[in-house]
């Protein structure tokens, strides 16, 4: 967050002294458009830090595409790429994250109920900090659907433990109704675990449909159930997705993001 405010100050200072501007556009910056319009005529380069959500907004301001450089966020530690996926994960489906309404976990429960008609022994794990009212609704729904033996709901897990829990599962599911740039799906792919996620926010840019996982429509338990079955019932597909997921995740390491940013500034300085 300190970097965010620092880049705002740099842009304002450059505008005041009438110098060429390197405009840093953070995807979550609510004031970027206003500052951009003030600096537009002096912009030498736009460094967009984010996951592509605001690119069309940048281009709509009349900036030339050749001046736009992308630094992808979020980023993942490269150590995850060195962790080998398990040959035979012991569990099936996992979700790790906030247990709140907008994450769509009630949709996941309904989908699992449909999958269970063809796969009685399915095992799923849900873990993370919970909104207690929503958690109570999930538990009631779980009992109503007869999923008590199929789903384990856990307390939040530590960062190191989180990676081990993900590795123990065949597929990571993110059934969000709304989302932005969920880092967890990059972490899962880096660990070699295929991802099923809702087509929301920047998610489609953070995976490769059909190669590192599957995209589904939000709030659609039938669509989600079919995607889960497709991956769980096809070991060869899952293995292929696991390999491709690790390859794709290499594009998002923190080290690569830092190197890209350093190279851009060296280019501007003529080094």
């Amino acid at each position: 967050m300190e970097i965010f405010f620092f880049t705002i100050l740099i842009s304002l200072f450059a505008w005041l002294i009438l110098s060429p501007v390197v405009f840093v556009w953070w995807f979550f910056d609510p004031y970027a458009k206003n500052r951009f319009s003030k600096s537009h005529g002096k912009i030498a380069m736009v460094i967009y830090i984010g996951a592509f959500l605001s690119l069309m907004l940048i281009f709509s301001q009349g900036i030339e595409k050749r001046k736009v450089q992308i630094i992808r966020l979020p980023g993942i530690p490269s150590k995850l790429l060195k962790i080998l996926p398990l040959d035979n994960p012991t569990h099936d489906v996992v979700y790790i994250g906030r247990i709140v309404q907008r994450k769509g976990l009630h949709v996941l429960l309904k989908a699992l109920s449909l999958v269970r008609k063809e796969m009685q022994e399915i095992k799923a794990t849900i873990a993370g900090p919970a909104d207690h009212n929503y958690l109570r609704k999930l538990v009631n729904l779980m009992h109503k659907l007869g999923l008590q033996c199929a789903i384990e709901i856990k307390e939040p897990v530590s960062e190191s433990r989180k990676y081990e829990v993900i590795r123990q599962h065949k597929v990571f599911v993110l059934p969000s109704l709304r989302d932005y740039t969920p880092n967890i799906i990059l972490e899962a792919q880096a660990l070699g675990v295929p991802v099923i996620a809702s087509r929301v926010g920047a998610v489609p840019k953070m995976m490769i449909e059909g190669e590192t996982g599957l995209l589904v429509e939000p709030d659609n338990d039938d669509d989600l159930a079919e995607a889960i079955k497709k991956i769980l019932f096809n070991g060869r597909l899952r293995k292929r997705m696991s390999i491709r997921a690790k390859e794709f995740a290499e594009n998002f390491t923190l080290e690569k993001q830092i190197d890209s940013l350093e190279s851009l500034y060296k280019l501007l300085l003529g080094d």
Side-chain angles (χ1 to χ4, degrees), residues 75-88:
I76 54 172
S78 58
K79 67 179 182 180
L80 298 186
L81 298 170
K82 299 175 183 178
I83 301 175
L84 298 177
L86 299 177
D87 290 330
N88 296 295

Side-chain angles (χ1 to χ4, degrees), residues 27-235:
F27 73 93
F28 56 77
D29 180 0
Y31 305 107
K33 184 177 179 181
N34 182 52
R35 291 187 295 105
F36 186 93
S37 61
K38 292 179 179 179
S39 307
H40 186 284
K42 300 179 287 295
I43 288 177
M45 178 184 290
V46 176
I47 299 176
Y48 174 66
I49 300 179
F52 314 99
L53 285 178
S54 299
L55 277 179
M56 292 311 296
L57 179 58
I58 293 173
F59 296 145
S60 71
Q61 302 301 304
I63 196 72
E64 299 172 59
K65 288 187 178 182
R66 66 180 179 82
K67 291 185 177 181
V68 178
Q69 302 292 332
I70 299 170
I71 302 295
R72 290 179 170 180
L73 282 182
I76 54 172
S78 58
K79 67 179 182 180
L80 298 186
L81 298 170
K82 299 175 183 178
I83 301 175
L84 298 177
L86 299 177
D87 290 330
N88 296 295
T90 54
H91 294 70
D92 300 306
V93 176
V94 63
Y95 165 87
I96 294 181
R98 294 173 60 206
I99 301 175
V100 294
Q101 177 85 21
R102 73 176 179 86
K103 292 296 186 178
L105 295 170
H106 54 287
V107 181
L108 175 58
L109 263 58
K110 293 175 184 177
L112 290 172
S113 178
L114 296 173
V115 174
R116 200 161 182 254
K117 293 177 181 179
E118 300 180 40
M119 188 180 177
Q120 279 289 320
E121 69 279 10
I122 189 169
K123 296 292 182 184
T125 302
I126 295 173
D131 172 277
H132 294 296
N133 289 332
Y134 183 61
L135 179 59
R136 185 165 56 249
K137 291 178 182 178
L138 283 183
V139 172
N140 290 338
L141 179 60
M142 188 169 64
H143 283 271
K144 181 180 179 181
L145 296 173
L147 295 172
Q148 305 95 300
C149 297
I151 300 174
E152 182 182 8
I153 299 180
K154 295 183 174 183
E155 295 287 325
V157 293
S158 66
E159 200 71 10
S160 56
R161 175 63 180 151
K162 175 180 71 174
Y163 301 140
E164 187 57 36
V165 171
I166 293 174
R167 282 182 74 235
Q168 292 169 357
H169 291 77
K170 296 172 183 174
V171 61
F172 185 95
V173 177
L174 183 72
S176 301
L177 306 181
R178 303 186 312 279
D179 226 317
Y180 306 101
T181 53
N183 201 48
I184 189 72
I185 63 173
L186 291 176
E187 293 174 328
Q189 289 172 97
L191 292 167
V193 177
V195 168
I196 298 173
S198 300
R199 197 186 300 272
V200 294
V203 169
K205 299 292 186 181
M206 299 172 69
M207 56 186 290
I208 304 177
E209 161 69 354
E211 293 188 33
T212 69
L214 298 172
L215 288 166
V216 298
E217 294 306 311
D219 202 16
N220 189 325
D221 47 291
D222 289 319
D223 200 13
L224 182 55
E226 288 303 312
I228 292 173
K229 287 189 289 184
K230 185 173 183 177
I231 291 180
L232 290 186
F233 291 175
N234 190 332

